[in-house]
Amino acid sequence: MLRVVSCPNCGGTVEFKAGSSLLSVCPYCSSAVARLGDDVGELEILGKVAPLIDLGSPLSLGTFGRWGNLGFRLVGHAQYDHGAGPWNEWYATFDDGRWGWLAEAQGRVYITFGQDVPGLPRWGELQVGGSFAVGKHTLVATEKKVATFLGAEGEMPFAAAPGSETRYVDAEGENHMFATLDYEGETAERIFVGQELDYDQLFDRSVLRDVAPAEAAAAVGLNCPNCGAGIELRAPDEAQRVTCGNCDSLLDASKGNELFLLSSAMPRVPEPLVPLGGEGKLEGIRWTVYGQLVKSVEAWGEKYVWTEYLLHQRSAGFRWLVESEGHWSFVEPVSAGQVVNALGSSRRYEGQRYLRFSSASARVDGLRGEFYWKVAVGDRVSAADYVAPPYMLSEERTDDELTWSRARWVGHAEIAEAFGLSNLPPARGIAPHQPNPHGRGLKGTLRLAMLTSVLLLVLAGFFALTRSEAKVASFSAGFQPTRAYKPTDTSMTGKPLPTERFTVSSGGNLAVRVNADIDSGALFLSGNLVEVGGAVVPVGIRVERYGGYSAGQSWESGARTRTVYVGQIKSGEYELSLRPEWLGSAKRPPRAIRVEVVSDVFLGTHALLPLFLLWILPLLTALRYFGFEKRRWAESDFAE
C-alpha cells in the first residue's frame, strides 16, 4: 500500500511504498525521514544523507528481479563501510509480501531473508572460523566486524541515522548458503539467511545498468598529492588504494575523485612480469591486471617471496594470478562453508581431499597499482595451504576475517599465450601443487601392466590345466660305494643306479625329481637321458642338505628333494642312467635314493619371468613418481 507524506524538512513528497519500510530518504533534500509508529502520522528527521558512492553496481532503485517463481523489486539502497571499503545492500520487497536484502561483493550477489532462530551465539562467543547451527545446517563465521551506515536512498526497513554503527557476523555454509547476524550489544538481534548467487540468476540483463568496461568510463585521471604525477584509476568506483608509479606513494582512493597521501617512498617492488593494465584470457574470461602485491613468509630461517597480480573483470569480479619461484597459479575465491575438515589435518572441497602442506604468517612487503581494499605494507594474515595437485586450497585468517581460495597450477605456455608474454623466468624447484609429470605415465604403465598380467595369468592357468603331467618312471635304490671307505676320503663314488626304460607318449618337457635321505652332505647324480636309437641328453642333479646343533639349537639348510627339467623332447622310448657321488661325511651316505620322471610339466617360472620383465618399467616409473613427491614434500611443514 503506497503511503505519501510531506517531508518535515522541505515539504517535498516522500513515499513509503512497502508496508515494512520504516525510513524513506527525501529525494529533494536528502533527509532521512522515519515514521515513529505503524502509521505515517508521526515523522522524524534522523539527519541528512550524504550522496552515495557509485560502486559500479549494475543495480538501481526500481529494478525488477525474480527469485525462483517469485518476483521482487528493489525499493531501497543502503551503503555500509567496515573500514576496508564500502559495499551496497539493496532492500527488496517480494510479491508475496515478504522483504529481504541483496548484498553485493566482488561480482557476486547475496540474497537473504530474516529468520527467527533461537540460541544464536553471543558476540563474545563467536570467533572467526567458529561454527554454529541454523536448523540442520552448519555455518562457519567468516567475518566479524563493526560497520558504519553511510547512507541510503529510497526506503529502508529500519530507522537508523546515517553514521550509526552496527555489529555483524557473516557466515557461510554448504551449497553456497550465506547468513548475516546483526547484533545489538552482545545479543544477536536477528539472522538473515539465504545464498550466494550470480546476477544472471536473479535479473534479466535488459534491466541492469550497463557497466561493461568497453562502454563505461573505464578510467579516471587524477594527480598524485605528493609529486603531482598523473594517476589513472581503472576502477574509480571500486578502488580503495592506489600507488603512484612516479614517487611510490601509497594513496587513498576511496573518495573516487580525489586522492589522499597515506605514505610516501614505499619499498620498491620488482617490475611486474605481467604488466599492469595489460589484459589476458584465462578460464575463458578476459581479465585486466589491476595491481601487484609482493608477499613473503619466514620459516626455518628462510624467507620465501612470491608475487600476486590482481585481476578484474566487471561481471566476474576479482581473481588472482600468483607467481612463486617461476611457478604460476590462477586463484579464485571459494566459500568457507564448502571447505570441511577431513581425516587428520586435511581438508575436503567438492569431494576431493587436500593434504596440509604449510602454515605461516604472510606479510605484505610491497605493492603497485590499485586495489579494492585498504591494503598497506606490513599487513599480516595467518595463512595455511592444502594441496591436491594441480589444485591448492589456501586459508587466510585475521582476527575479524576468514577467506578461502583455490589455486590451479598453470604452465608457462598458458600464461605466455594468455598475456602475450615471452622470456618468462624458468621455474625453480617443485611447486606445492605442481602436477607430478610422472603421474600420467605411471597410470598408463600400471594399467597396461595390470591388463597384460591378467592375460598372462589366464594363459598360465590355461597351460597349467592342459598339461598332462604324467608320471612315466619311478624307481628307488640305495647308495652302494665302489670301494671301501678310508678316513681320508672327502667323497665317495657309488655304483650306477639301475637303468630305467620308460615311454613318453606325448612331446613336452621332462621333470626328473630326486629325493634322498640326507642328514648332512651333498649327493650329485650325473648321467644321460638316452632316446632309444636316438639323441643323448646329459643330466645332472645335486641334492644338498646340512644340519646340526649350535648354541643349544638345531639348524638346517637345503632340502632332501631336488628337481631338474629337460627341455622339449619327442615322444618315444627313453632310458635314464645315473651314477651317484657322495660329497661330505663318507660315514653316512644316503641309504635310499628315489627317482621320479614326469612328462609334460607346467613350469610357473615361464609365467613369472615375463611378469617380472613386464613390471620393470612400471616400477622404474613409480620410483621416479615417488622421488618427485619426496622432493615436493621436503618443503612441507606437514609431510605425510
Side-chain angles (χ1 to χ4, degrees):
M1 176 180 173
L2 175 64
R3 286 167 290 184
V4 180
V5 298
S6 296
C7 173
N9 181 58
C10 70
T13 300
V14 177
E15 297 180 345
F16 288 85
K17 299 184 182 71
S20 54
S21 299
L22 298 178
L23 181 144
S24 184
V25 177
C26 176
Y28 302 99
C29 67
S30 299
S31 295
V33 180
R35 60 187 179 94
L36 300 181
D38 294 335
D39 200 357
V40 292
E42 296 183 69
L43 302 175
E44 179 183 15
I45 298 293
L46 298 183
K48 288 277 190 178
V49 176
L52 299 184
I53 302 170
D54 186 356
L55 300 180
S57 171
L59 304 180
S60 57
L61 283 180
T63 299
F64 179 81
R66 185 164 293 277
W67 181 61
N69 295 324
L70 197 60
F72 65 87
R73 190 174 298 277
L74 304 182
V75 298
H77 176 199
Q79 278 187 350
Y80 292 86
D81 192 338
H82 51 37
W87 77 91
N88 288 328
E89 297 215 6
W90 298 86
Y91 169 42
T93 58
F94 289 76
D95 292 346
D96 63 354
R98 285 189 298 170
W99 64 272
W101 289 103
L102 270 72
E104 295 178 281
Q106 300 177 30
R108 303 287 284 175
V109 63
Y110 304 82
I111 185 169
T112 58
F113 301 91
Q115 291 188 13
D116 293 323
V117 177
L120 292 173
R122 294 174 63 81
W123 175 263
E125 297 172 348
L126 186 57
Q127 303 301 320
V128 167
S131 60
F132 61 95
V134 175
K136 298 180 180 180
H137 304 283
T138 299
L139 297 174
V140 178
T142 57
E143 190 168 294
K144 181 183 180 181
K145 294 183 178 179
V146 177
T148 301
F149 175 44
L150 299 180
E153 60 178 341
E155 303 173 41
M156 290 288 111
F158 56 78
S164 60
E165 293 184 340
T166 180
R167 290 176 166 183
Y168 73 94
V169 171
D170 283 344
E172 298 174 358
E174 292 185 328
N175 300 320
H176 303 287
M177 188 176 179
F178 180 82
T180 296
L181 288 80
D182 288 341
Y183 281 86
E184 183 68 36
E186 284 290 316
T187 304
E189 192 176 52
R190 199 168 191 190
I191 183 171
F192 292 85
V193 181
Q195 62 184 142
E196 175 188 351
L197 300 167
D198 292 320
Y199 286 100
D200 291 339
Q201 293 174 274
L202 295 173
F203 302 97
D204 188 283
R205 281 285 168 181
S206 63
V207 303
L208 299 180
R209 287 201 308 158
D210 188 358
V211 292
E215 299 179 20
V220 170
L222 300 172
N223 295 104
C224 173
N226 186 50
C227 69
I231 295 176
E232 185 179 71
L233 291 181
R234 295 179 179 84
D237 48 6
E238 296 173 297
Q240 296 292 311
R241 291 287 186 267
V242 65
T243 59
C244 175
N246 183 62
C247 67
D248 296 320
S249 295
L250 178 64
L251 309 172
D252 180 8
S254 60
K255 301 302 181 183
N257 56 1
E258 188 176 0
L259 299 176
F260 297 90
L261 180 66
L262 296 174
S263 63
S264 59
M266 285 198 314
R268 273 199 170 271
V269 299
E271 288 297 316
L273 298 175
V274 183
L276 300 189
E279 293 185 350
K281 191 173 184 180
L282 288 170
E283 306 284 337
I285 297 175
R286 180 161 294 279
W287 305 92
T288 302
V289 184
Y290 272 30
Q292 174 193 14
L293 280 182
V294 177
K295 289 185 176 181
S296 67
V297 298
E298 293 187 10
W300 310 105
E302 296 281 341
K303 186 175 183 179
Y304 299 88
V305 181
W306 68 93
T307 302
E308 299 181 358
Y309 298 93
L310 180 61
L311 309 179
H312 183 258
Q313 198 270 347
R314 281 282 180 172
S315 60
F318 290 97
R319 299 292 188 272
W320 290 96
L321 185 64
V322 178
E323 183 273 330
S324 176
E325 298 291 324
H327 294 276
W328 294 85
S329 302
F330 180 76
V331 184
E332 58 184 353
V334 300
S335 169
Q338 302 289 103
V339 181
V340 297
N341 294 337
L343 184 65
S345 58
S346 62
R347 297 291 184 268
R348 188 170 294 278
Y349 175 72
E350 292 187 343
Q352 187 171 24
R353 185 183 177 212
Y354 290 73
L355 301 180
R356 186 162 185 173
F357 191 86
S358 63
S359 62
S361 175
R363 180 183 186 274
V364 176
D365 289 343
L367 59 144
R368 177 190 279 124
E370 60 187 88
F371 303 89
Y372 63 86
W373 79 102
K374 296 179 179 178
V375 62
V377 172
D379 285 353
R380 285 187 177 273
V381 296
S382 296
D385 295 326
Y386 303 80
V387 298
Y391 296 106
M392 178 167 65
L393 277 179
S394 296
E395 175 193 44
E396 292 191 352
R397 185 191 297 253
T398 63
D399 290 339
D400 57 11
E401 191 168 3
L402 167 69
T403 60
W404 282 91
S405 60
R406 186 176 73 162
R408 177 179 67 87
W409 187 87
V410 183
H412 277 63
E414 186 175 348
I415 295 297
E417 181 181 357
F419 291 91
L421 304 175
S422 60
N423 300 322
L424 288 174
R428 301 180 298 279
I430 297 173
H433 56 313
Q434 180 180 352
N436 192 318
H438 311 295
R440 181 175 297 178
L442 179 59
K443 288 181 180 179
T445 55
L446 283 176
R447 188 180 295 111
L448 179 61
M450 291 179 68
L451 290 174
T452 310
S453 297
V454 170
L455 179 60
L456 282 174
L457 292 174
V458 170
L459 290 174
F462 171 77
F463 287 121
L465 292 174
T466 55
R467 291 291 187 180
S468 63
E469 296 201 5
K471 186 187 293 186
V472 295
S474 177
F475 59 92
S476 298
F479 185 90
Q480 298 180 16
T482 56
R483 61 179 175 81
Y485 161 72
K486 294 180 181 180
T488 57
D489 289 344
T490 57
S491 65
M492 183 183 298
T493 302
K495 294 180 180 180
L497 301 182
T499 298
E500 184 76 10
R501 176 174 281 205
F502 54 89
T503 300
V504 176
S505 59
S506 60
N509 61 358
L510 285 182
V512 181
R513 185 176 296 116
V514 176
N515 177 269
D517 60 338
I518 300 173
D519 287 334
S520 185
L523 174 68
F524 183 71
L525 299 174
S526 61
N528 295 304
L529 174 67
V530 181
E531 181 184 6
V532 177
V536 177
V537 180
V539 176
I541 307 172
R542 185 184 182 96
V543 184
E544 194 170 9
R545 182 186 181 276
Y546 296 95
Y549 288 88
S550 176
Q553 294 183 339
S554 63
W555 62 273
E556 64 177 46
S557 64
R560 292 188 173 96
T561 302
R562 179 73 183 275
T563 303
V564 296
Y565 297 90
V566 180
Q568 295 292 323
I569 63 172
K570 299 181 295 182
S571 60
E573 294 289 321
Y574 288 87
E575 290 182 348
L576 177 65
S577 60
L578 298 171
R579 177 183 293 275
E581 182 180 359
W582 174 248
L583 307 174
S585 174
K587 295 180 179 179
R588 179 64 176 86
R591 290 185 293 272
I593 303 172
R594 180 175 179 80
V595 180
E596 289 184 350
V597 182
V598 182
S599 68
D600 199 19
V601 178
F602 172 75
L603 292 178
T605 54
H606 288 179
L608 291 177
L609 180 59
L611 278 177
F612 174 75
L613 297 175
L614 179 66
W615 281 92
I616 289 178
L617 180 59
L619 289 174
L620 291 176
T621 308
L623 289 175
R624 298 174 68 186
Y625 176 87
F626 288 109
F628 186 93
E629 291 301 314
K630 183 177 180 180
R631 295 194 301 275
R632 180 205 305 278
W633 288 95
E635 297 295 322
S636 170
D637 302 337
F638 303 90
E640 296 191 7

